[in-house]
Amino acid sequence: MEQFLNIFLGGLLIGGIYSLVSMGLSLQYGVAKVLNIAHGEFLMIGAFVTYWLQQSGVEPLLTVVIVGPTMFIIGFILYRTVFTSIRLRSAHPGIYESNSLLAAFGIYFIVMNIGILIWGTTPHSYTYLNQSISVGGALFTQNRIVAAAFAVVIGIAFYLFLTNTRTGKAIRAAAQDPATAGLMGVNIDFVLALCFGFGAAMAGVAGSLISICYSLSTAMGLGYTVIAIVVVTLGGLGSIPGSFIGGFILGVIGSAVSFWEPGLTVASYYVIFIVLLLVRPKGIMGR
Amino acid sequence: MHLLEGEKVTKYFGGLAAVSEVDFYVDEGEIVGLIGPNGAGKTTLFNLISAALEPKPGIIKYKDKKINGLKPYKICRLGIARTFQTVKIFGNMPVIENVRVGSLFGPLVGLSTAEATKVATELLEFVGLSKVAYTPARDLTLAHQKRLEVARALATKPTLLMLDELMAGLNQTELLEAMELIKQIQKKGITIIMIEHVMKAIMGICDRIIVLHHGQKIADGTPQEVANSKTVIEVYLGETSDAGNK
Amino acid sequence: MDFSNINWKRAAIQPGIPILLLVLVAFAPLYGSGYIVTMFTYFILYIIITVSWTIFSGATGYISLASAAFYGVGIYAAAMFGERMPFIFVIFIAGFASFVLAFIVGAITLRLRGIYFAMFTFGLVVLMKEVIHYWEITIEGTRGHFVIYQSNETIFYYLLGIFVVTIIVAYIIRRSKFGLALASIGENEEAAGHTGINVTMVKIITFAVSAIFMAAAGAVMATKLTYIDPGVAFNPMMSFSPALMAIFGGMASIYGPVAGAVIFSYLQELLMTGSLKNYYMLIFGAILVATIIYLPSGVTGLIQNLWRRFKGARSAPTRG
Amino acid sequence: MLEINNISAFYGNIQILWDVSLKVNEGEIVALIGGNGAGKTTLVRAITGLLPIASGSIKFLEKEIDKLPPHIITELGISHIPEGRKLFTEMSVHENLEMGAYSKPAWKKKHETLERVFKIFPRLKEREKQLARTLSGGEQQMVAMGRGLMSIPKLCIIDEPSNGLAPMVVMEVFKIVQELRDQGITILLIEQNVRHTLEISDRAYVLENGRVVMEGDCATCLASEHIKKAYLGL
Amino acid sequence: MWKKVFKYSIPLTICLILAVSAVLVAGCGGGGVEEGKTEILIGASRDITGPQAGFQAYGFAPLYKAWAEEVNAAGGIDVGGTKLPVRIIEYDDASDPAVCTRNLEKLITQDNVDFLFGPTGTAMLFAAAPIANKYHKIMLCGEGGATTLEPKLAEMPYVFSVLNYSNHFQIPVFADLIEEKGAQTVYICYMNDLHGAEYRLTAQSEFEIRGLQVLQAKSIPMSITDMDPIVKEAKDLNPDVFCMFAYPNQNILFMQTAMALDFNPKCILVGPGCNFEFFNLMFGAALEGVCGEGAWNKNSSPAAAAFAEKVTELVGMGNQDWWGAIVYQSTLEYLQQAIEEAGTLDNDKILEVYRTAHFQTTAGEMWWDIQGENGGGLLPQECYAGQIGQWQSGIFEVIDNDEHNTAPFIYPKAPWPES
């Protein structure tokens, strides 16, 4: 029972963060149609900014307020400068998708290496809320519970934003049919850039949350990108609730594999991904 | 024996039947027209025959052999060639290369390169594109691109040629030329099944017309029969009277 | 036979210059210092990988990120069989193993839409790395293998041989009926299918053939590395490099990928060996983004455009 | 109200529209008819700003609109009800309608407009919470039209509303179009269903191969030999 | 016709220009004939921007640099009568073995270095050793060790492995220590790379020989961020001894997790990393009784005391390495004396000296244990200052069961302090 709680609750806790990262990618890939392989790099930058601010005495959870908007602006500008022009130059959506994938790889190299030049390659960490709490005999540190709670709150808040506001509805409309959304008077370039910005902001915030419970290094990004891609495929392309739930599912699977054999965790994500692509590319929530 | 025969051909997209239980046949040497309003399932039916899609359920027979589920290239090599509603040419290749692809890969026994070039040149002559043989295909006008598709289809040495809206968007002169071209193709002994909206063309050259509506066949007969059919006038040509009440 | 149509000058120049260059490079070990041989070895390596990448991905537009997997298969073949048999057999085994792997991967994935194919192939590289790594650590209790080593000149000439074969095969594929089929698939897959091309087979076979050269090059390079582990063998950079080099060089002709490979491996030589590895990666990324936005047809495309414009400007007065 | 002067437009290298001129006066239903590929949809794309025109001008309420982006044109009061309905299938009927009122001025009044739309299409009120993809074809067309009205348009471009609908439903749709005109909305109706269209319209333009081949009031058109032959199959 | 010629000749000309310029540039860099040596060049491919970069930058590099400066300040190394200064050329490989081999080739064939220093880490050493041997350059492998390299050393006469590693005395010593104290069960967690794999294999066999039960041997990936599963499982199994064979970052993570989840076995061995002073600064009192691989400290000998002060000054507080520093320094001193004895830079002549000579160094008398007939060398156990260390009141005490030890082994360790 304790073992089960350890695996299951531990999976849900990390799953909360996976959800947040994946919802960000879902916006970028599902709506803006950019398979942003540099997604994890925004997370890395977010984590390091938090680390940096924490070192100069700022409460880590408060840095979310700085990291989120900053990453949003960076993502927004990036989309307007790089991806909009790729989109306008591409003859058809297929070319846009593959070119933006390659451009995202370029951005991945750029951002990661800027990170390395600033922060080096050695891992960093700080301790914050490092006491543990017992849940039915299973121990969890406070920082994880706080981070997961934060992630879930942000995720739900964003979902409410999507369903209840004018801009949120425009994003959902653009996700389903950008051309028609344009007919409704939605400025598509703007909305797609907005989505990309929100995606980057979510990655950044997830990075901040990760930094309060795990150690960080400039090479951490790609791992989270992979997780996000798997979750987005799992949850169904462009489905925000799908990504949210998918994050928890992958968290639990990852947790179970880690308990059994930590060396195979990453491999298990790829196996899930490959099987999904072959068997059900639409994802569990896709139609 | 019919050249091509379909029994209860059906195709669902999602929950919606795009083509439902359509029986049809095409005899050797005929020109068959396939008409119906937008969304009636004409192109879907074409896709089912040319194996871009697989009917579920239903049987399509060609020369008395079941051809459901074959790959498109097999269908092509059996002798069924097609053109597309929205042109699908190889835009960056020269015109003649487009046709050569057809003659190199289309027939059951492929031609040698030299023969293929010869055949391609002849076909371009036939459809009237020899002047632009070496320009990239994407630079042609829409009418010429459609002709190019016909030439490419002919290069595969088909018994049955399927033309999807060959005449859409053509002007009066081009239209007449296209009709002439179709007649010429028929003279070569090739059976034709064509989707068309231009009534004049359909009525003028088809031996038989099949009318689809909402995925169902509502009429099948000579142009005269179809034009006089009450159902067709109601649902397709648009009768003024109380059509809605029936 | 009619000889009047043959353009003798062109016939001499067209293969002439590449052959001259090849001879020049082939004798590098005789006149160059030890390091020139090593440097040229890397140039040739990247040309092989990039040209063979272009054989499939350039023609069909399917972005394959599996190059590293095939290269890695070659490396592992050398590590496993290098000591047991003559090296030339090892190269053949590497090529064959890679062919089979690519064939299987192609058969199950080439029906995936473009971007999914790219993701799948990338996943394949990482998965192979992780699984072999795990196998070595937990089952064998070690990581990596030693590879028999060979003199720099031997390695150089092996690679040169593979290079020549790759270029010839790429040229033949481009010029043959098969190449026409590939180009048709790249232009419009659906129409190609309906024109009688066995789309799936053509794609799978090309994919598998292009993998042969990558693996063969990997097998040779393994002897240069002398010690290999999954991280070296399945380094994702080997997947990105050919894509960038080909796109940067331009894929309309064989020269494009060659030029791209030479430029980048020289840049790599300047920055990566030395202490600017991270700057290399940074520049690599920046050029990748810039190329996609500003140079869709690559350097060779740009030069051809400029040349056309230059020629146009020069001949304009005579026309007017 | 809408004035199109001698425009041409291209897709890639192919010219689709040749010197097309067209006028819509306030309070009219103007029909634009023509076969597939005649250039109707291209013309609409040019008006709504989705396709740049090569030459000529488009004026709406005396204002040049041919260089404006689509969302601004929508705000000016042109609403486009697209061919094939193009609903946001994973959103509810209510949300689809709300999207119609996306432009800022319309958003402010969306509750009142919604009431009006529900008055015209009472059936939509019953289905308010349903996902759009669960509706029948006719209902979907109603959502599309309702959505078009949500932007409080001055000019409504309705693209092939009868497409793929059962004959009975087609009649209903055309009735609604007339109703809209009676409520003071100017309409540019694009149709293949020539007879019905000409019956409810005030004036008509016939587009063939990207050129306007005939214009005039509907009675004349219906009587024309050309129309009879080419479109009515008589 | 000329159009066609132009069409093909332009791309070809570009290729030609590129190729020729490449030849020229490379030629200028590497073609020089050496004549009248003015300095002794030592090449190294190091992890400057890779995962262990911090240790390279603060822990290891300053020692080598300081040695070179010291030698140069004294006028250089006496090579057959002329004193030549020493220069170290460092390239970055970011822990990528492929780049490392390429760097070494560049150092040897283009920069014409006289000697090589080994790269950082076990796997890197594997990649580097064959290259050194291929080009007949003496290589002093500092920060790495590899059991599987041992049999190969017999065929690698130019490779000298400096550091003590798993079966090269550390784990056998540790196994003796815990066996003596009556430990029964062990949990092993190891990094899934060569370093971890080797320690795990050695540890498993050494423990089992002595009748200790290995409850679990689990590998963790380099990228691990969550040690909870490992620590929770270990806590369930309740071993007497917990061994963690991973790098500092994972070890720090383990320490934090073990404290947070209150996992406190009788003995904990973590390393490498534990041998650095920063572990002490980071964990303070919590580190009491934690063992690590190494070791030496200021109590090892008077020379060591002086060297400890020098090291602190060189690398700064926190970066002192209580495992390798003293050996690296001593082998450098050995190299200098060997060159002077040989009176030439000819690697083969110097090799002769290496095979037989004993020299006095900071760590005491030093000589090499030559493998096979004429192979490379390992240091014998007597030449090390210690094998296993344990933190006791802020000092990394040597606890070996021989004359090297500076303090007795404390078993069981103290509980974690209340936070």
Side-chain angles (χ1 to χ4, degrees):
Chain A
M1 185 61 204
E2 195 187 312
Q3 177 82 350
F4 170 78
L5 271 180
N6 267 327
I7 293 176
F8 190 71
L9 287 181
L12 289 185
L13 288 181
I14 185 70
I17 290 177
Y18 289 176
S19 290
L20 191 58
V21 184
S22 313
M23 280 164 69
L25 188 77
S26 187
L27 279 173
Q28 298 182 335
Y29 185 31
V31 185
K33 294 281 177 276
V34 176
L35 178 52
N36 185 15
I37 216 81
H39 191 61
E41 305 316 305
F42 293 95
L43 180 147
M44 179 268 285
I45 298 283
F48 270 91
V49 170
T50 299
Y51 168 76
W52 195 38
L53 290 171
Q54 194 272 343
Q55 295 293 302
S56 40
V58 184
E59 179 79 357
L61 281 175
L62 284 182
T63 60
V64 166
V65 184
I66 303 163
V67 170
T70 317
M71 298 315 285
F72 173 81
I73 292 167
I74 294 175
F76 188 88
I77 293 173
L78 196 63
Y79 190 86
R80 287 315 287 257
T81 47
V82 176
F83 295 104
T84 306
S85 67
I86 293 177
R87 193 168 75 91
L88 297 180
R89 275 162 206 258
S90 299
H92 61 82
I95 293 182
Y96 166 61
E97 279 191 19
S98 49
N99 278 350
S100 58
L101 171 67
L102 287 172
F105 269 116
I107 292 167
Y108 158 72
F109 287 121
I110 296 172
V111 177
M112 182 171 81
N113 286 289
I114 288 176
I116 289 175
L117 293 176
I118 301 174
W119 292 294
T121 39
T122 50
H124 300 259
S125 66
Y126 57 89
T127 42
Y128 178 73
L129 295 177
N130 200 20
Q131 276 73 48
S132 52
I133 295 173
S134 167
V135 184
L139 289 173
F140 297 100
T141 45
Q142 286 170 2
N143 52 31
R144 298 200 185 172
I145 296 168
V146 169
F150 247 70
V152 170
V153 166
I154 294 171
I156 291 173
F158 189 75
Y159 185 73
L160 292 177
F161 164 76
L162 282 184
T163 46
N164 287 312
T165 64
R166 175 168 170 262
T167 315
K169 282 173 184 166
I171 289 175
R172 283 166 62 216
Q176 288 176 31
D177 186 344
T180 313
L183 279 182
M184 302 297 114
V186 176
N187 182 348
I188 288 298
D189 284 340
F190 178 77
V191 165
L192 296 190
L194 212 58
C195 287
F196 201 84
F198 278 128
M202 284 185 181
V205 169
S208 299
L209 297 177
I210 284 167
S211 81
I212 71 171
C213 31
Y214 304 107
S215 61
L216 20 147
S217 78
T218 40
M220 73 201 277
L222 192 62
Y224 286 100
T225 308
V226 167
I227 288 166
I229 290 175
V230 177
V231 171
V232 170
T233 317
L234 187 74
L237 194 58
S239 162
I240 300 286
S243 298
F244 189 73
I245 296 163
F248 289 104
I249 295 175
L250 200 73
V252 173
I253 293 174
S255 169
V257 177
S258 303
F259 265 88
W260 167 60
E261 193 59 78
L264 282 179
T265 316
V266 178
S268 74
Y269 294 153
Y270 279 103
V271 170
I272 294 170
F273 175 62
I274 285 175
V275 169
L276 265 178
L277 278 189
L278 295 177
V279 178
R280 195 173 162 81
K282 285 179 285 184
I284 43 171
M285 304 270 289
R287 283 186 191 87
Chain B
M1 178 187 101
H2 302 300
L3 179 66
L4 181 74
E5 200 176 353
E7 283 170 30
K8 302 221 179 297
V9 177
T10 308
K11 179 73 196 174
Y12 283 92
F13 288 127
L16 225 71
V19 171
S20 88
E21 303 207 333
V22 172
D23 293 310
F24 66 91
Y25 67 90
V26 178
D27 280 329
E28 198 139 10
E30 273 190 314
I31 298 182
V32 176
L34 188 57
I35 64 172
N38 277 353
K42 302 176 305 260
T43 298
T44 307
L45 187 59
F46 256 42
N47 286 340
L48 290 169
I49 298 170
S50 68
L53 297 170
E54 197 178 339
K56 251 180 203 165
I59 298 172
I60 298 175
K61 281 196 252 175
Y62 174 72
K63 293 185 176 166
D64 260 0
K65 266 205 320 235
K66 192 176 150 194
I67 58 167
N68 313 16
L70 290 182
K71 288 270 172 66
Y73 79 97
K74 286 239 164 101
I75 298 284
C76 174
R77 289 181 190 175
L78 282 175
I80 303 179
R82 70 171 293 184
T83 69
F84 299 89
Q85 186 179 3
T86 45
V87 284
K88 292 192 164 118
I89 47 161
F90 308 134
N92 291 316
M93 289 189 200
V95 167
I96 190 159
E97 289 291 287
N98 272 266
V99 186
R100 282 186 60 212
V101 172
S103 50
L104 282 171
F105 297 97
L108 207 51
V109 182
L111 303 176
S112 76
T113 343
E115 279 171 331
T117 315
K118 200 169 137 246
V119 170
T121 320
E122 282 167 12
L123 277 171
L124 285 180
E125 185 81 32
F126 177 69
V127 299
L129 290 177
S130 30
K131 270 188 198 153
V132 288
Y134 292 96
T135 36
R138 58 163 193 269
D139 290 342
L140 300 188
T141 63
L142 184 63
H144 281 177
Q145 288 185 351
K146 294 208 157 182
R147 276 166 178 263
L148 175 57
E149 274 203 334
V150 174
R152 185 177 67 190
L154 286 175
T156 66
K157 292 243 180 330
T159 318
L160 175 66
L161 180 63
M162 304 164 70
L163 303 172
D164 196 345
E165 299 202 14
L166 179 65
M167 299 176 198
L170 302 189
N171 64 29
Q172 212 60 34
T173 1
E174 288 167 343
L175 198 72
L176 291 174
E177 282 169 13
M179 284 171 70
E180 183 54 37
L181 181 66
I182 292 172
K183 282 181 192 151
Q184 290 295 327
I185 295 170
Q186 189 190 22
K187 272 190 197 140
K188 287 184 159 201
I190 295 169
T191 311
I192 292 171
I193 170 164
M194 56 194 279
I195 296 177
E196 206 48 79
H197 278 283
V198 182
M199 283 304 150
K200 188 164 74 180
I202 285 276
M203 299 289 167
I205 55 176
C206 287
D207 300 314
R208 200 153 57 78
I209 291 175
I210 297 172
V211 188
L212 285 187
H213 187 66
H214 278 305
Q216 278 159 346
K217 191 169 88 170
I218 56 167
D220 184 349
T222 62
Q224 213 48 50
E225 286 167 17
V226 168
N228 295 334
S229 151
K230 201 145 174 67
T231 1
V232 173
I233 292 172
E234 272 170 21
V235 300
Y236 180 46
L237 297 173
E239 180 52 70
T240 39
S241 59
D242 47 4
N245 299 335
K246 287 192 179 156
Chain C
M1 260 198 105
D2 181 15
F3 287 98
S4 61
N5 279 340
I6 297 180
N7 182 339
W8 291 106
K9 266 187 194 156
R10 198 183 126 194
I13 286 172
Q14 216 183 327
I17 295 179
I19 287 173
L20 195 72
L21 261 177
L22 188 67
V23 171
L24 211 67
V25 173
F27 287 110
L30 298 183
Y31 62 80
S33 77
Y35 196 65
I36 284 219
V37 179
T38 300
M39 204 174 74
F40 274 18
T41 307
Y42 279 95
F43 282 12
I44 294 171
L45 166 71
Y46 280 107
I47 294 175
I48 294 171
I49 305 278
T50 308
V51 170
S52 45
W53 184 84
T54 318
I55 291 176
F56 175 74
S57 294
T60 58
Y62 278 78
I63 295 177
S64 158
L65 294 177
S67 317
F70 304 135
Y71 181 70
V73 165
I75 286 182
Y76 261 83
M80 284 158 64
F81 303 109
E83 281 167 359
R84 296 187 204 156
M85 54 183 77
F87 198 68
I88 193 84
F89 289 135
V90 176
I91 295 178
F92 280 114
I93 289 177
F96 181 72
S98 217
F99 180 87
V100 172
L101 175 70
F103 196 91
I104 295 168
V105 169
I108 56 177
T109 61
L110 274 167
R111 62 200 163 89
L112 292 175
R113 240 177 70 222
I115 195 152
Y116 280 125
F117 178 73
M119 285 159 64
F120 183 98
T121 48
F122 183 64
L124 179 76
V125 175
V126 187
L127 185 65
M128 285 181 76
K129 179 162 104 181
E130 294 284 334
V131 169
I132 293 179
H133 191 162
Y134 179 79
W135 174 268
E136 286 186 349
I137 291 289
T138 25
I139 315 288
E140 292 179 3
T142 176
R143 187 178 91 169
H145 296 271
F146 282 105
V147 187
I148 46 141
Y149 58 76
Q150 301 187 339
S151 79
N152 284 349
E153 284 71 25
T154 320
I155 293 169
F156 176 77
Y157 284 115
Y158 268 128
L159 269 189
L160 200 67
I162 296 169
F163 162 76
V164 171
V165 175
T166 312
I167 295 282
I168 290 173
V169 169
Y171 186 79
I172 289 174
I173 286 183
R174 207 174 259 269
R175 282 307 171 92
S176 70
K177 179 175 157 170
F178 202 74
L180 193 62
L182 266 181
S184 313
I185 293 170
E187 294 275 348
N188 192 315
E189 209 169 315
E190 197 185 345
H194 288 290
T195 315
I197 295 168
N198 188 346
V199 174
T200 323
M201 222 26 168
V202 169
K203 282 194 297 189
I204 294 174
I205 287 182
T206 322
F207 187 56
V209 166
S210 74
I212 294 176
F213 308 113
M214 298 182 187
V220 177
M221 285 311 286
T223 65
K224 192 162 189 71
L225 297 169
T226 62
Y227 165 81
I228 56 106
D229 66 16
V232 174
F234 300 98
N235 183 350
M237 274 308 278
M238 253 319 173
S239 285
F240 300 128
S241 297
L244 171 60
M245 289 170 183
I247 292 169
F248 180 75
M251 289 182 286
S253 68
I254 287 183
Y255 302 115
V258 173
V262 170
I263 293 170
F264 268 91
S265 35
Y266 189 62
L267 191 67
Q268 193 185 47
E269 178 58 43
L270 286 180
L271 296 176
M272 200 157 162
T273 64
S275 296
L276 297 168
K277 181 177 162 140
N278 295 310
Y279 286 97
Y280 171 73
M281 307 278 265
L282 190 67
I283 293 170
F284 184 91
I287 295 180
L288 184 55
V289 174
T291 307
I292 285 162
I293 299 179
Y294 300 109
L295 281 182
S297 51
V299 170
T300 46
L302 178 76
I303 290 171
Q304 266 166 17
N305 279 345
L306 287 179
W307 175 247
R308 223 170 280 151
R309 207 172 294 171
F310 167 66
K311 243 182 12 182
R314 220 180 29 174
S315 55
T318 47
R319 253 190 242 144
Chain D
M1 187 174 219
L2 180 73
E3 203 178 328
I4 297 173
N5 290 318
N6 305 79
I7 64 165
S8 344
F10 291 79
Y11 272 134
N13 293 323
I14 304 166
Q15 183 162 7
I16 307 287
L17 295 181
W18 310 71
D19 253 351
V20 173
S21 299
L22 185 148
K23 223 180 248 173
V24 182
N25 299 319
E26 200 154 354
E28 280 187 318
I29 297 181
V30 173
L32 180 64
I33 56 183
N36 260 23
K40 299 175 310 229
T41 303
T42 310
L43 181 61
V44 173
R45 284 172 63 88
I47 298 170
T48 51
L50 290 171
L51 186 78
I53 55 170
S55 63
S57 72
I58 304 175
K59 277 188 199 162
F60 179 64
L61 298 172
E62 307 300 318
K63 197 174 171 211
E64 290 259 0
I65 59 166
D66 47 63
K67 300 237 160 30
L68 298 178
H71 59 275
I72 302 288
I73 294 175
T74 312
E75 276 181 32
L76 286 175
I78 297 183
S79 165
H80 178 200
I81 296 160
E83 181 184 358
R85 306 185 278 272
K86 301 274 169 61
L87 297 185
F88 302 114
T89 48
E90 300 300 316
M91 288 163 94
S92 69
V93 170
H94 182 89
E95 285 174 320
N96 265 285
L97 293 175
E98 271 187 326
M99 277 314 294
Y102 180 77
S103 70
K104 276 231 174 77
W107 189 264
K108 278 181 204 142
K109 297 186 209 153
K110 69 172 172 171
H111 295 292
E112 302 140 46
T113 331
L114 201 61
E115 287 307 307
R116 260 181 59 203
V117 169
F118 281 151
K119 234 173 245 163
I120 303 172
F121 305 102
R123 194 134 26 120
L124 297 187
K125 195 168 170 71
E126 296 161 25
R127 316 246 159 186
E128 202 178 334
K129 297 274 174 265
Q130 256 175 280
L131 286 188
R133 71 183 157 85
T134 61
L135 301 184
S136 75
E139 287 166 335
Q140 290 194 0
Q141 184 61 43
M142 288 178 197
V143 176
M145 291 171 75
R147 189 178 62 180
L149 295 176
M150 287 298 291
S151 66
I152 320 180
K154 300 186 179 87
L155 172 69
C156 222
I157 301 174
I158 308 179
D159 204 347
E160 309 232 356
S162 72
N163 190 346
L165 294 183
M168 199 158 83
V169 185
V170 172
M171 294 308 295
E172 206 173 320
V173 166
F174 278 112
K175 253 180 225 148
I176 292 168
V177 172
Q178 273 177 303
E179 225 170 278
L180 293 181
R181 190 250 323 263
D182 298 341
Q183 296 201 1
I185 297 166
T186 312
I187 287 164
L188 177 60
L189 179 62
I190 294 158
E191 257 302 339
Q192 281 194 40
N193 195 329
V194 174
R195 177 160 300 170
H196 287 149
T197 309
L198 291 179
E199 277 165 3
I200 65 165
S201 308
D202 299 312
R203 287 190 306 117
Y205 289 82
V206 180
L207 205 59
E208 272 177 20
N209 304 313
R211 293 182 177 85
V212 174
V213 294
M214 186 185 287
E215 58 174 294
D217 60 66
C218 288
T220 332
C221 287
L222 265 178
S224 122
E225 277 303 305
H226 179 78
I227 297 272
K228 274 186 184 162
K229 254 199 191 149
Y231 298 97
L232 302 177
L234 299 175
Chain E
M1 182 206 94
W2 283 106
K3 263 188 214 159
K4 289 268 164 67
V5 174
F6 278 132
K7 191 180 154 201
Y8 289 103
S9 60
I10 285 171
L12 283 171
T13 321
I14 294 160
C15 293
L16 186 70
I17 291 168
L18 283 172
V20 169
S21 62
V23 171
L24 289 178
V25 173
C28 293
V33 184
E34 75 179 84
E35 188 176 274
K37 285 275 304 175
T38 54
E39 53 185 358
I40 299 170
L41 289 175
I42 306 179
S45 171
R46 310 298 287 268
D47 186 9
I48 295 172
T49 61
Q52 313 295 337
F55 303 100
Q56 150 72 16
Y58 305 115
F60 309 142
L63 290 175
Y64 293 89
K65 229 175 102 193
W67 170 76
E69 276 167 11
E70 217 167 81
V71 167
N72 292 345
I77 297 178
D78 185 347
V79 186
T82 41
K83 282 202 157 190
L84 293 178
V86 173
R87 185 157 67 91
I88 300 172
I89 305 177
E90 268 187 348
Y91 286 157
D92 180 19
D93 57 38
S95 265
D96 181 344
V99 179
C100 175
T101 51
R102 205 167 154 186
N103 279 342
L104 289 175
E105 281 201 51
K106 193 170 181 174
L107 286 166
I108 296 166
T109 56
Q110 189 176 319
D111 300 325
N112 295 312
V113 296
D114 299 296
F115 307 102
L116 294 169
F117 287 156
T120 320
T122 308
M124 303 294 287
L125 179 59
F126 263 55
I131 302 284
N133 204 54
K134 180 176 174 181
Y135 287 96
H136 297 232
K137 292 284 172 195
I138 289 177
M139 178 158 85
L140 297 180
C141 305
E143 309 92 79
T147 42
T148 23
L149 195 60
E150 242 184 89
K152 292 253 173 195
L153 276 181
E155 302 149 22
M156 294 185 177
Y158 295 87
V159 179
F160 291 87
S161 188
V162 170
L163 210 59
N164 32 5
Y165 45 81
S166 58
N167 70 342
H168 203 48
F169 319 129
Q170 285 181 331
I171 298 301
V173 169
F174 179 69
D176 285 344
L177 284 169
I178 52 171
E179 189 202 8
E180 206 167 277
K181 295 286 182 186
Q184 305 277 321
T185 51
V186 188
Y187 186 110
I188 300 174
C189 172
Y190 63 102
M191 173 76 93
N192 66 359
D193 78 340
L194 197 52
H195 169 86
E198 292 200 335
Y199 269 84
R200 172 243 169 164
L201 276 187
T202 312
Q204 197 150 8
S205 66
E206 292 289 340
F207 291 156
E208 275 161 7
I209 289 168
R210 288 165 179 79
L212 292 158
Q213 192 194 348
V214 177
L215 298 172
Q216 177 69 282
K218 204 159 234 182
S219 71
I220 52 166
M222 177 85 95
S223 57
I224 194 163
T225 53
D226 185 0
M227 286 288 292
D228 279 18
I230 301 281
V231 173
K232 280 173 178 170
E233 188 189 56
K235 205 176 169 187
D236 278 350
L237 293 173
N238 192 24
D240 293 333
V241 178
F242 185 95
C243 293
M244 178 85 191
F245 302 125
Y247 294 123
N249 308 305
Q250 295 74 34
N251 293 335
I252 291 169
L253 189 63
F254 162 72
M255 290 287 290
Q256 286 168 341
T257 313
M259 280 189 260
L261 300 178
D262 194 29
F263 168 59
N264 191 38
K266 295 194 182 94
C267 177
I268 293 178
L269 176 76
V270 296
C274 189
N275 50 301
F276 279 90
E277 185 68 26
F278 68 76
F279 241 69
N280 186 25
L281 298 180
M282 198 176 254
F283 295 107
L287 205 56
E288 187 65 27
V290 173
C291 299
E293 296 110 354
W296 66 284
N297 60 52
K298 60 179 196 276
N299 302 327
S300 288
S301 70
F307 182 61
E309 262 176 45
K310 197 171 108 189
V311 168
T312 309
E313 196 182 304
L314 276 174
V315 299
M317 197 58 191
N319 293 316
Q320 299 100 314
D321 169 14
W322 303 117
W323 174 354
I326 197 166
V327 212
Y328 309 150
Q329 173 69 21
S330 303
T331 46
L332 292 176
E333 289 166 8
Y334 187 99
L335 172 68
Q336 178 176 4
Q337 293 175 62
I339 296 171
E340 284 172 353
E341 170 117 359
T344 167
L345 288 176
D346 184 335
N347 271 241
D348 291 328
K349 296 255 168 61
I350 296 168
L351 211 56
E352 293 299 316
V353 179
Y354 262 77
R355 295 219 170 96
T356 52
H358 289 224
F359 293 120
Q360 202 58 42
T361 64
T362 305
E365 192 183 351
M366 177 174 273
W367 67 97
W368 293 92
D369 187 359
I370 300 299
Q371 304 294 299
E373 285 279 291
N374 284 315
L378 292 168
L379 285 177
Q381 190 167 0
E382 296 88 325
C383 294
Y384 290 107
Q387 304 296 342
I388 296 291
Q390 184 177 38
W391 285 98
Q392 294 178 12
S393 319
I395 292 177
F396 198 55
E397 300 283 3
V398 180
I399 52 165
D400 296 11
N401 276 333
D402 59 16
E403 72 277 11
H404 291 117
N405 76 336
T406 58
F409 177 35
I410 297 175
Y411 182 95
K413 73 179 277 292
W416 303 117
E418 290 294 317
S419 56

